[in-house]
Amino acid sequence: MNAFREDTDLLTLPLNFTIQLEQPRKRLGFLGATLRGGLGFVLRDLYCKHVPDSQGRCSDPEHCAYGTLFEGIKASEQLHRAGADRLPQPMVMNVESPNAWRGELNEVRFGISLFGCATQFAPQLINAIQELAKRGLGPDRELGKLSNIDDSNIEGFNQPKLLEANPAPKHACSLKWSFHTPLDIRKSGVSLNRIGAIDLLLAGRRRWELLCQAYGETNYEADIGERLEASQFRVMGDQTSVWKFERYSARQDSRMEMRGIVGDVTIHGPWHQAGAWLKYVHCIGLGKHASFGFGRTTWQQRVAIAEQANTSHTRIPHG
């Protein structure tokens, strides 16, 4: 546990939920959007008692479960000078890949990880999910019941803990990146259709730095790694595609397109110099809309290029 403190003191509370549906369903669409929209509405209805500001946001987000989880906390002066007007939301939703379900669906399984100050609102979050199941999921209001949290009784949950690290590469290598849910990384406000090494580096370092400085136990500079160039990386294989869908936004009273990249891409390069974020990306996600379940990302180290011809692409296990 102490070894992780060299990288971060960011606390997290990962919670896994199971909702039993009253009637089997063949499809609920992309679960992240289904859950996020309903959960935000219920959480605000139950707990946000503050008069909205001129932009319709909670006027006291730091003391409100809805404001903290769904609107984010205003950036400090230090982070504002670094170009961060608002902080990343201190939560990540973990759902299955789009269109992952086949056949009838009898239960809905998903996870939500809270960071830093957001962990204090776990009881309110659990109550809101219980209420959401009673009110119904999705546009057809599919009724259900919250049956499990972390495979235990719904009255109990674990205490916050330090993020769990994956062993980092010790030398230049090939990493197979898997984007399990849509990854939305943008340049100049435009979503990318292809993801390169530098895109991953910049997105990972930025998200890691903001999460650590905003929600860590102490305010310190996160290890974001060394300066790297695109010429130091090579794409060895790309099986990614763009996935998109439309959702209705009650706040904006309009339909909105959401999109991102799913699939796998293998990139060779000096990943050992990428920075501490690489060890925690499976916990924090990447890109925009993490609270919708976007950006669930993992990587696996592959064999060295010189060995590929003799090893039939055998994977090197972590550690």
Side-chain angles (χ1 to χ4, degrees):
M1 186 73 73
N2 291 335
F4 300 159
R5 291 189 179 275
E6 296 177 3
D7 300 324
T8 180
D9 58 5
L10 178 62
L11 295 177
T12 184
L13 180 57
L15 299 169
N16 296 303
F17 301 94
T18 302
I19 294 178
Q20 297 287 340
L21 299 178
E22 289 188 359
Q23 299 292 332
R25 289 289 296 176
K26 290 186 176 181
R27 183 184 176 94
L28 271 175
F30 178 59
L31 184 58
T34 300
L35 289 169
R36 202 274 190 186
L39 182 57
F41 179 85
V42 172
L43 198 64
R44 184 170 189 168
D45 186 41
L46 293 179
Y47 295 109
C48 187
K49 306 303 181 184
H50 303 290
V51 178
D53 62 17
S54 59
Q55 296 180 329
R57 295 178 177 272
C58 175
S59 59
D60 189 18
E62 295 187 20
H63 302 96
C64 171
Y66 169 80
T68 295
L69 296 177
F70 281 85
E71 293 188 345
I73 299 173
K74 292 182 180 180
S76 65
E77 286 299 319
Q78 177 185 359
L79 293 176
H80 185 74
R81 288 194 296 270
D85 293 327
R86 298 196 75 85
L87 300 173
Q89 292 168 316
M91 63 172 283
V92 167
M93 185 173 290
N94 298 306
V95 297
E96 292 194 50
S97 301
N99 304 318
W101 289 305
R102 296 293 183 270
E104 290 189 337
L105 181 67
N106 296 301
E107 62 182 20
V108 173
R109 292 179 177 268
F110 62 98
I112 295 179
S113 293
L114 305 177
F115 301 121
C117 60
T119 61
Q120 67 182 303
F121 296 116
Q124 291 92 329
L125 176 66
I126 293 171
N127 288 337
I129 293 175
Q130 288 178 307
E131 182 63 22
L132 175 62
K134 295 177 183 177
R135 296 187 186 187
L137 302 175
D140 296 330
R141 297 295 182 261
E142 300 298 333
L143 301 179
K145 179 181 179 181
L146 180 60
S147 59
N148 286 298
I149 300 176
D150 291 321
D151 298 320
S152 62
N153 185 278
I154 62 174
E155 298 299 327
F157 49 88
N158 296 325
Q159 295 298 312
K161 60 182 180 181
L162 292 173
L163 293 177
E164 295 182 0
N166 278 336
K170 298 181 179 180
H171 50 73
C173 62
S174 292
L175 295 187
K176 178 184 177 182
W177 290 85
S178 296
F179 311 128
H180 303 283
T181 58
L183 173 61
D184 186 2
I185 293 178
R186 302 183 181 183
K187 284 185 178 179
S188 302
V190 179
S191 300
L192 299 179
N193 292 326
R194 284 286 182 270
I195 296 291
I198 299 303
D199 302 318
L200 292 171
L201 282 168
L202 294 178
R205 289 175 173 179
R206 182 63 169 171
R207 181 166 175 79
W208 179 243
E209 181 180 26
L210 291 177
L211 285 174
C212 285
Q213 291 196 19
Y215 303 119
E217 292 296 289
T218 58
N219 189 5
Y220 75 106
E221 292 190 15
D223 172 22
I224 60 173
E226 301 181 26
R227 179 179 177 86
L228 299 172
E229 305 291 342
S231 60
Q232 297 176 264
F233 295 88
R234 281 184 292 168
V235 176
M236 311 303 299
D238 189 341
Q239 294 82 42
T240 61
S241 61
V242 176
W243 187 86
K244 56 187 177 181
F245 74 106
E246 286 189 346
R247 66 175 291 268
Y248 173 75
S249 172
R251 172 179 288 184
Q252 300 186 27
D253 192 23
S254 64
R255 299 194 68 82
M256 303 173 56
E257 182 182 90
M258 299 184 69
R259 56 185 287 146
I261 295 173
V262 295
D264 304 319
V265 61
T266 300
I267 304 176
H268 181 84
W271 291 110
H272 61 300
Q273 299 174 334
W277 69 273
L278 189 66
K279 296 185 287 187
Y280 302 101
V281 68
H282 63 289
C283 298
I284 65 173
L286 283 179
K288 297 183 69 65
H289 308 309
S291 66
F292 283 88
F294 271 41
R296 183 163 65 87
T297 302
T298 60
W299 55 264
Q300 290 180 311
Q301 186 172 335
R302 308 301 293 263
V303 296
I305 296 178
E307 299 174 1
Q308 287 184 0
N310 298 323
T311 58
S312 301
H313 302 279
T314 303
R315 297 179 182 178
I316 295 179
H318 284 257

